[in-house]
Protein backbone atom coordinates (compact mmCIF):
# COMPACT_ATOMS: atom_id res chain seq x y z
CA UNK A 1 0.00 0.00 0.00
CA UNK A 2 3.01 2.29 0.27
CA UNK A 3 3.18 2.53 -3.52
CA UNK A 4 -0.52 3.38 -3.64
CA UNK A 5 -0.08 6.03 -0.94
CA UNK A 6 2.64 7.65 -3.04
CA UNK A 7 0.17 7.85 -5.94
CA UNK A 8 -2.39 9.40 -3.61
CA UNK A 9 0.15 11.91 -2.33
CA UNK A 10 1.03 12.80 -5.92
CA UNK A 11 -2.67 13.01 -6.85
CA UNK A 12 -1.88 10.90 -9.92
CA UNK A 13 -5.40 10.16 -11.19
CA UNK A 14 -4.37 8.10 -14.20
CA UNK A 15 -2.03 5.85 -12.21
CA UNK A 16 -4.62 5.46 -9.46
CA UNK A 17 -7.29 4.37 -11.93
CA UNK A 18 -4.91 1.78 -13.34
CA UNK A 19 -4.34 0.59 -9.80
CA UNK A 20 -8.10 0.35 -9.27
CA UNK A 21 -8.38 -1.85 -12.35
CA UNK A 22 -5.64 -4.11 -11.02
CA UNK A 23 -7.14 -4.42 -7.55
CA UNK A 24 -10.59 -5.15 -8.97
CA UNK A 25 -9.33 -7.76 -11.43
CA UNK A 26 -7.42 -9.52 -8.64
CA UNK A 27 -10.46 -9.20 -6.34
CA UNK A 28 -8.58 -7.36 -3.61
CA UNK A 29 -11.72 -5.72 -2.26
CA UNK A 30 -10.38 -4.74 1.16
CA UNK A 31 -7.43 -3.02 -0.46
CA UNK A 32 -9.74 -1.28 -2.90
CA UNK A 33 -11.98 0.00 -0.11
CA UNK A 34 -8.90 1.21 1.77
CA UNK A 35 -7.70 3.08 -1.31
CA UNK A 36 -11.07 4.82 -1.55
CA UNK A 37 -10.68 5.92 2.09
CA UNK A 38 -7.19 7.26 1.38
CA UNK A 39 -8.47 9.22 -1.61
CA UNK A 40 -11.29 10.76 0.43
CA UNK A 41 -8.83 11.69 3.17
CA UNK A 42 -6.65 13.34 0.52
CA UNK A 43 -9.61 15.42 -0.67
CA UNK A 44 -9.75 16.94 2.82
CA UNK A 45 -6.15 18.02 2.23
CA UNK A 46 -7.01 19.74 -1.03
CA UNK A 47 -6.13 17.00 -3.50
CA UNK A 48 -8.70 16.51 -6.27
CA UNK A 49 -9.22 12.78 -5.89
CA UNK A 50 -12.98 12.70 -5.30
CA UNK A 51 -13.44 11.30 -8.81
CA UNK A 52 -11.17 8.34 -8.05
CA UNK A 53 -12.98 7.69 -4.76
CA UNK A 54 -16.34 7.81 -6.52
CA UNK A 55 -15.12 5.40 -9.19
CA UNK A 56 -13.92 2.97 -6.53
CA UNK A 57 -17.33 3.08 -4.83
CA UNK A 58 -18.93 2.36 -8.20
CA UNK A 59 -16.64 -0.61 -8.84
CA UNK A 60 -17.29 -1.99 -5.35
CA UNK A 61 -21.05 -1.66 -5.85
CA UNK A 62 -20.88 -3.33 -9.26
CA UNK A 63 -18.20 -5.98 -8.85
CA UNK A 64 -17.48 -6.36 -5.16
CA UNK A 65 -19.00 -8.95 -2.83
CA UNK A 66 -22.29 -8.02 -1.19
CA UNK A 67 -20.57 -6.92 2.02
CA UNK A 68 -18.51 -4.30 0.21
CA UNK A 69 -21.32 -3.32 -2.15
CA UNK A 70 -23.65 -2.70 0.79
CA UNK A 71 -21.12 -0.54 2.60
CA UNK A 72 -20.84 2.00 -0.21
CA UNK A 73 -24.61 2.57 -0.31
CA UNK A 74 -24.50 5.52 2.04
CA UNK A 75 -26.18 8.94 1.67
CA UNK A 76 -24.44 11.10 -0.90
CA UNK A 77 -22.20 8.34 -2.25
CA UNK A 78 -21.71 7.96 -5.98
CA UNK A 79 -23.27 11.30 -6.84
CA UNK A 80 -21.23 11.55 -10.03
CA UNK A 81 -21.13 7.85 -10.88
CA UNK A 82 -22.66 6.47 -14.07
CA UNK A 83 -25.82 5.63 -12.14
CA UNK A 84 -27.18 5.53 -8.59
CA UNK A 85 -25.12 3.08 -6.58
CA UNK A 86 -28.32 1.50 -5.27
CA UNK A 87 -29.19 0.55 -8.85
CA UNK A 88 -25.63 -0.48 -9.67
CA UNK A 89 -25.46 -2.81 -6.67
CA UNK A 90 -28.95 -4.20 -7.28
CA UNK A 91 -28.01 -4.96 -10.87
CA UNK A 92 -25.37 -7.47 -9.78
CA UNK A 93 -26.50 -8.69 -6.33
CA UNK A 94 -29.74 -10.29 -5.22
CA UNK A 95 -31.78 -9.17 -2.22
CA UNK A 96 -30.75 -12.01 0.08
CA UNK A 97 -27.07 -11.24 -0.28
CA UNK A 98 -27.32 -7.44 -0.08
CA UNK A 99 -29.99 -6.88 2.57
CA UNK A 100 -27.89 -7.79 5.65
CA UNK A 101 -25.34 -5.12 4.68
CA UNK A 102 -27.71 -2.20 4.09
CA UNK A 103 -27.62 0.15 7.06
CA UNK A 104 -29.22 3.21 5.49
CA UNK A 105 -33.05 2.94 5.49
CA UNK A 106 -33.39 4.87 2.22
CA UNK A 107 -30.89 2.60 0.50
CA UNK A 108 -32.73 -0.43 1.84
CA UNK A 109 -36.01 0.78 0.32
CA UNK A 110 -34.48 1.70 -3.02
CA UNK A 111 -32.52 -1.52 -3.41
CA UNK A 112 -35.65 -3.49 -2.59
CA UNK A 113 -37.60 -1.71 -5.33
CA UNK A 114 -34.70 -2.19 -7.76
CA UNK A 115 -34.79 -5.91 -7.08
CA UNK A 116 -38.58 -5.93 -7.57
CA UNK A 117 -38.06 -4.43 -11.03
CA UNK A 118 -35.75 -7.37 -11.72
CA UNK A 119 -38.49 -9.83 -10.83
CA UNK A 120 -37.96 -10.56 -7.14
CA UNK A 121 -41.02 -10.95 -4.91
CA UNK A 122 -40.11 -9.23 -1.64
CA UNK A 123 -43.51 -9.18 0.01
CA UNK A 124 -43.09 -9.61 3.75
CA UNK A 125 -39.30 -9.34 3.60
CA UNK A 126 -38.77 -5.70 4.62
CA UNK A 127 -40.29 -5.95 8.08
CA UNK A 128 -42.19 -2.91 9.34
CA UNK A 129 -40.61 -0.46 6.89
CA UNK A 130 -43.31 1.43 4.91
CA UNK A 131 -43.20 1.11 1.12
CA UNK A 132 -44.42 3.39 -1.67
CA UNK A 133 -45.10 0.69 -4.27
CA UNK A 134 -45.94 -3.02 -4.02
CA UNK A 135 -42.95 -5.28 -3.43
CA UNK A 136 -43.88 -7.45 -6.40
CA UNK A 137 -44.61 -6.51 -9.99
CA UNK A 138 -48.29 -6.22 -10.80
CA UNK A 139 -49.62 -8.59 -13.45
CA UNK A 140 -50.18 -5.71 -15.87
CA UNK A 141 -46.67 -4.26 -15.52
CA UNK A 142 -44.18 -4.76 -18.35
CA UNK A 143 -40.69 -6.17 -18.28
CA UNK A 144 -38.91 -2.91 -17.58
CA UNK A 145 -35.78 -2.10 -19.57
CA UNK A 146 -32.72 -2.58 -17.38
CA UNK A 147 -29.41 -0.72 -17.59
CA UNK A 148 -26.16 -2.46 -18.43
CA UNK A 149 -23.36 -1.21 -16.21
CA UNK A 150 -19.73 -1.77 -17.13
CA UNK A 151 -16.51 -0.82 -15.38
CA UNK A 152 -16.12 2.52 -17.20
CA UNK A 153 -19.39 3.00 -19.10
CA UNK A 154 -23.09 2.20 -19.10
CA UNK A 155 -25.86 1.56 -21.59
CA UNK A 156 -29.54 2.18 -20.97
CA UNK A 157 -31.44 0.12 -23.56
CA UNK A 158 -34.87 1.42 -24.41
CA UNK A 159 -37.83 -0.90 -23.88
CA UNK A 160 -39.00 -3.00 -26.85
CA UNK A 161 -41.75 -0.57 -27.77
CA UNK A 162 -42.66 -0.07 -31.41
CA UNK A 163 -41.24 3.15 -32.83
CA UNK A 164 -43.59 5.28 -34.92
CA UNK A 165 -43.26 4.22 -38.56
CA UNK A 166 -44.91 4.96 -41.87
CA UNK A 167 -45.86 8.21 -43.55
CA UNK A 168 -46.52 11.35 -41.54
CA UNK A 169 -50.10 12.46 -41.35
CA UNK A 170 -51.49 15.96 -41.08
CA UNK A 171 -53.11 16.78 -37.76
CA UNK A 172 -55.84 19.24 -36.92
CA UNK A 173 -54.89 22.07 -34.61
CA UNK A 174 -56.50 21.64 -31.21
CA UNK A 175 -57.31 24.33 -28.68
CA UNK A 176 -55.40 23.82 -25.48
CA UNK A 177 -57.01 23.55 -22.09
CA UNK A 178 -55.40 24.94 -18.92
CA UNK A 179 -52.68 22.74 -17.48
CA UNK A 180 -53.74 20.09 -15.00
CA UNK A 181 -52.27 17.45 -12.70
CA UNK A 182 -51.83 14.94 -15.52
CA UNK A 183 -49.89 17.42 -17.62
CA UNK A 184 -47.70 18.32 -14.66
CA UNK A 185 -46.99 14.63 -14.01
CA UNK A 186 -45.94 14.09 -17.63
CA UNK A 187 -43.57 17.06 -17.45
CA UNK A 188 -42.11 15.81 -14.17
CA UNK A 189 -41.21 12.51 -15.84
CA UNK A 190 -38.50 14.35 -17.81
CA UNK A 191 -37.56 16.87 -15.14
CA UNK A 192 -33.95 15.63 -15.06
CA UNK A 193 -33.65 16.48 -18.75
CA UNK A 194 -35.03 19.98 -18.42
CA UNK A 195 -33.64 20.96 -15.01
CA UNK A 196 -30.22 19.28 -15.04
CA UNK A 197 -29.42 18.82 -18.74
CA UNK A 198 -30.06 20.78 -21.94
CA UNK A 199 -33.40 19.16 -22.72
CA UNK A 200 -36.76 20.73 -23.44
CA UNK A 201 -40.34 19.60 -22.88
CA UNK A 202 -43.74 20.86 -23.93
CA UNK A 203 -47.02 19.40 -22.70
CA UNK A 204 -50.49 20.03 -24.10
CA UNK A 205 -53.90 19.29 -22.58
CA UNK A 206 -56.88 19.40 -24.96
CA UNK A 207 -60.52 18.52 -25.28
CA UNK A 208 -60.58 15.64 -27.73
CA UNK A 209 -58.65 12.46 -28.38
CA UNK A 210 -54.98 11.55 -28.29
CA UNK A 211 -54.45 12.61 -31.92
CA UNK A 212 -55.90 16.02 -31.12
CA UNK A 213 -53.39 16.37 -28.31
CA UNK A 214 -50.52 15.63 -30.70
CA UNK A 215 -52.01 18.22 -33.05
CA UNK A 216 -51.56 20.84 -30.34
CA UNK A 217 -47.79 20.24 -30.53
CA UNK A 218 -47.18 19.40 -34.21
CA UNK A 219 -48.91 20.07 -37.53
CA UNK A 220 -47.95 16.60 -38.78
CA UNK A 221 -46.53 13.50 -37.14
CA UNK A 222 -45.89 9.78 -37.48
CA UNK A 223 -48.10 7.99 -34.95
CA UNK A 224 -48.24 4.44 -33.55
CA UNK A 225 -50.73 3.07 -31.03
CA UNK A 226 -49.31 1.52 -27.85
CA UNK A 227 -50.51 -1.00 -25.33
CA UNK A 228 -50.77 0.45 -21.79
CA UNK A 229 -47.93 -1.76 -20.57
CA UNK A 230 -45.71 -0.47 -23.39
CA UNK A 231 -46.47 3.10 -22.42
CA UNK A 232 -45.64 2.33 -18.79
CA UNK A 233 -42.33 0.79 -19.84
CA UNK A 234 -41.50 3.87 -21.88
CA UNK A 235 -42.36 6.34 -19.11
CA UNK A 236 -40.40 4.30 -16.56
CA UNK A 237 -37.35 4.22 -18.81
CA UNK A 238 -37.50 7.95 -19.41
CA UNK A 239 -38.12 8.87 -15.77
CA UNK A 240 -35.25 6.64 -14.62
CA UNK A 241 -32.81 8.50 -16.84
CA UNK A 242 -30.96 11.74 -16.43
CA UNK A 243 -30.94 12.40 -20.15
CA UNK A 244 -27.67 13.58 -21.62
CA UNK A 245 -26.18 15.40 -18.64
CA UNK A 246 -28.62 15.10 -15.75
CA UNK A 247 -28.20 12.75 -12.83
CA UNK A 248 -29.83 9.38 -13.41
CA UNK A 249 -32.72 8.70 -11.02
CA UNK A 250 -32.62 4.91 -11.28
CA UNK A 251 -35.10 2.22 -12.19
CA UNK A 252 -36.98 2.33 -8.87
CA UNK A 253 -37.59 6.07 -9.20
CA UNK A 254 -38.66 5.52 -12.80
CA UNK A 255 -41.22 2.91 -11.80
CA UNK A 256 -42.66 5.18 -9.11
CA UNK A 257 -42.95 8.04 -11.61
CA UNK A 258 -44.65 5.79 -14.16
CA UNK A 259 -47.25 4.82 -11.55
CA UNK A 260 -47.63 8.47 -10.53
CA UNK A 261 -48.19 9.55 -14.13
CA UNK A 262 -50.71 6.74 -14.65
CA UNK A 263 -52.60 7.73 -11.50
CA UNK A 264 -52.71 11.37 -12.61
CA UNK A 265 -53.94 10.46 -16.10
CA UNK A 266 -56.66 8.16 -14.79
CA UNK A 267 -57.66 10.43 -11.90
CA UNK A 268 -57.12 7.74 -9.27
CA UNK A 269 -56.12 9.15 -5.86
CA UNK A 270 -52.88 7.82 -4.43
CA UNK A 271 -53.57 5.59 -1.41
CA UNK A 272 -52.86 7.04 2.03
CA UNK A 273 -52.36 3.64 3.61
CA UNK A 274 -49.84 1.00 2.55
CA UNK A 275 -52.53 -1.63 3.14
CA UNK A 276 -54.44 -0.16 0.19
CA UNK A 277 -51.55 -0.56 -2.27
CA UNK A 278 -52.64 -3.93 -3.64
CA UNK A 279 -56.17 -2.70 -4.32
CA UNK A 280 -54.77 0.48 -5.85
CA UNK A 281 -52.51 -1.57 -8.14
CA UNK A 282 -55.48 -3.59 -9.38
CA UNK A 283 -57.59 -0.48 -9.99
CA UNK A 284 -54.73 1.30 -11.74
CA UNK A 285 -54.19 -1.63 -14.09
CA UNK A 286 -57.87 -1.59 -15.05
CA UNK A 287 -57.93 2.20 -15.45
CA UNK A 288 -54.98 2.47 -17.83
CA UNK A 289 -56.64 -0.10 -20.08
CA UNK A 290 -59.47 2.38 -20.63
CA UNK A 291 -57.12 5.05 -22.00
CA UNK A 292 -55.79 5.40 -25.55
CA UNK A 293 -51.99 5.52 -25.76
CA UNK A 294 -50.03 6.81 -28.76
CA UNK A 295 -46.35 7.16 -29.46
CA UNK A 296 -45.46 9.80 -32.02
CA UNK A 297 -42.55 11.56 -33.63
CA UNK A 298 -41.92 14.46 -35.94
CA UNK A 299 -41.57 13.61 -39.66
CA UNK A 300 -37.79 13.93 -39.39
CA UNK A 301 -36.47 11.52 -36.73
CA UNK A 302 -33.99 12.77 -34.17
CA UNK A 303 -31.38 10.84 -32.20
CA UNK A 304 -31.05 11.24 -28.47
CA UNK A 305 -33.39 10.99 -25.53
CA UNK A 306 -37.03 11.54 -26.46
CA UNK A 307 -40.46 11.13 -24.96
CA UNK A 308 -43.27 11.78 -27.42
CA UNK A 309 -46.39 10.29 -25.98
CA UNK A 310 -50.09 11.08 -26.23
CA UNK A 311 -52.87 9.77 -24.01
CA UNK A 312 -56.61 10.05 -24.50
CA UNK A 313 -59.40 9.57 -21.96
CA UNK A 314 -62.52 8.72 -24.00
CA UNK A 315 -64.80 8.92 -20.97
CA UNK A 316 -63.95 12.49 -19.95
CA UNK A 317 -63.04 13.63 -23.47
CA UNK A 318 -59.61 14.87 -22.40
CA UNK A 319 -56.23 14.13 -23.91
CA UNK A 320 -52.61 14.96 -23.22
CA UNK A 321 -49.41 14.94 -25.25
CA UNK A 322 -45.77 15.57 -24.45
CA UNK A 323 -42.86 16.48 -26.72
CA UNK A 324 -39.61 16.08 -24.76
CA UNK A 325 -36.12 15.90 -26.20
CA UNK A 326 -32.52 15.90 -24.98
CA UNK A 327 -29.61 15.58 -27.40
CA UNK A 328 -26.61 13.36 -26.64
CA UNK A 329 -23.26 15.17 -26.89
CA UNK A 330 -20.26 13.20 -28.12
CA UNK A 331 -18.57 13.28 -24.72
CA UNK A 332 -21.35 11.52 -22.84
CA UNK A 333 -20.40 7.93 -21.92
CA UNK A 334 -23.75 6.84 -20.50
CA UNK A 335 -26.16 6.96 -23.40
CA UNK A 336 -29.40 5.46 -24.67
CA UNK A 337 -28.94 2.29 -26.69
CA UNK A 338 -31.53 3.30 -29.26
CA UNK A 339 -31.65 6.37 -31.44
CA UNK A 340 -35.38 7.01 -31.13
CA UNK A 341 -36.35 6.06 -27.59
Amino acid sequence: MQDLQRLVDAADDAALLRAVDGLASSRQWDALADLARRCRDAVELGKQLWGVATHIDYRLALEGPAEHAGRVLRPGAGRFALGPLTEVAAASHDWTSLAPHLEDPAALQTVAQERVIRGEDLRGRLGPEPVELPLVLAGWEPDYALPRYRDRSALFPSPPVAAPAGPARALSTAVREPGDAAGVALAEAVEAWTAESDGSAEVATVRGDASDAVGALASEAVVTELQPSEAMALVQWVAASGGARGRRRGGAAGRFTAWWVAAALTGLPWPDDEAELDMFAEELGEAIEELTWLRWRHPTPETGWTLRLAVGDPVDGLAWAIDAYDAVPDDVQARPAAAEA
Side-chain angles (χ1 to χ4, degrees):
M1 292 300 294
Q2 291 182 348
D3 290 340
L4 292 178
Q5 186 59 49
R6 281 196 289 270
L7 297 179
V8 171
D9 293 338
D12 191 336
D13 292 42
L16 282 167
L17 289 174
R18 289 194 295 271
V20 169
D21 288 339
L23 291 172
S25 64
S26 60
R27 307 183 68 81
Q28 298 183 59
W29 307 118
D30 289 340
L32 197 55
D34 183 68
L35 180 57
R37 179 191 60 77
R38 291 169 185 257
C39 289
R40 280 190 287 270
D41 290 344
V43 171
E44 299 296 323
L45 299 176
K47 299 183 185 297
Q48 300 301 310
L49 293 179
W50 59 266
V52 177
T54 294
H55 180 66
I56 293 174
D57 286 345
Y58 172 82
R59 297 290 291 273
L60 287 170
L62 180 64
E63 302 170 61
E67 179 181 2
H68 280 283
R71 285 176 182 171
V72 302
L73 304 187
R74 57 188 182 276
R79 179 170 179 78
F80 299 103
L82 293 170
L85 296 187
T86 46
E87 181 178 60
V88 174
S92 53
H93 303 80
D94 63 20
W95 175 252
T96 299
S97 63
L98 267 181
H101 308 292
L102 300 175
E103 298 180 358
D104 178 59
L108 183 82
Q109 289 282 338
T110 304
V111 169
Q113 293 291 350
E114 290 288 352
R115 291 306 306 170
V116 168
I117 288 175
R118 288 158 177 80
E120 285 205 60
D121 182 347
L122 299 184
R123 287 174 292 183
R125 299 183 64 184
L126 261 68
E129 294 293 331
V131 296
E132 294 180 321
L133 291 181
L135 291 172
V136 65
L137 292 176
W140 49 264
E141 286 189 85
D143 291 330
Y144 293 112
L146 302 177
R148 298 199 294 266
Y149 287 109
R150 301 169 178 171
D151 56 357
R152 301 277 181 105
S153 63
L155 288 174
F156 304 105
S158 58
V161 178
R169 72 189 203 200
L171 300 168
S172 58
T173 302
V175 177
R176 297 194 187 194
E177 295 286 307
D180 58 4
V184 170
L186 282 169
E188 288 178 348
V190 294
E191 185 177 19
W193 303 6
T194 57
E196 300 177 14
S197 190
D198 300 319
S200 62
E202 185 177 6
V203 178
T205 303
V206 305
R207 287 280 173 188
D209 60 22
S211 293
D212 295 325
V214 178
L217 299 176
S219 59
E220 58 178 346
V222 181
V223 178
T224 296
E225 188 168 349
L226 296 180
Q227 295 298 315
S229 60
E230 294 178 311
M232 290 290 288
L234 191 61
V235 174
Q236 185 274 342
W237 179 80
V238 165
S241 83
R245 296 192 181 279
R247 187 183 181 193
R248 178 171 170 80
R249 290 347 193 211
R255 181 187 179 218
F256 179 85
T257 300
W259 280 56
W260 185 264
V261 168
L265 290 167
T266 58
L268 286 178
W270 199 268
D272 296 324
D273 193 324
E274 182 184 336
E276 301 172 359
L277 272 178
D278 289 342
M279 180 63 72
F280 174 67
E282 183 178 345
E283 293 175 349
L284 188 62
E286 294 172 353
I288 62 175
E289 288 285 347
E290 297 175 359
L291 303 179
T292 301
W293 302 83
L294 300 179
R295 191 180 187 189
W296 67 278
R297 66 169 174 82
H298 295 288
T300 303
E302 295 172 308
T303 59
W305 303 83
T306 68
L307 177 62
R308 296 192 175 102
L309 188 69
V311 189
D313 182 345
V315 175
D316 293 334
L318 283 173
W320 304 265
I322 182 169
D323 183 356
Y325 173 70
D326 196 13
V328 179
D330 292 337
D331 63 337
V332 173
Q333 287 182 298
R335 59 184 63 248
E340 179 69 22

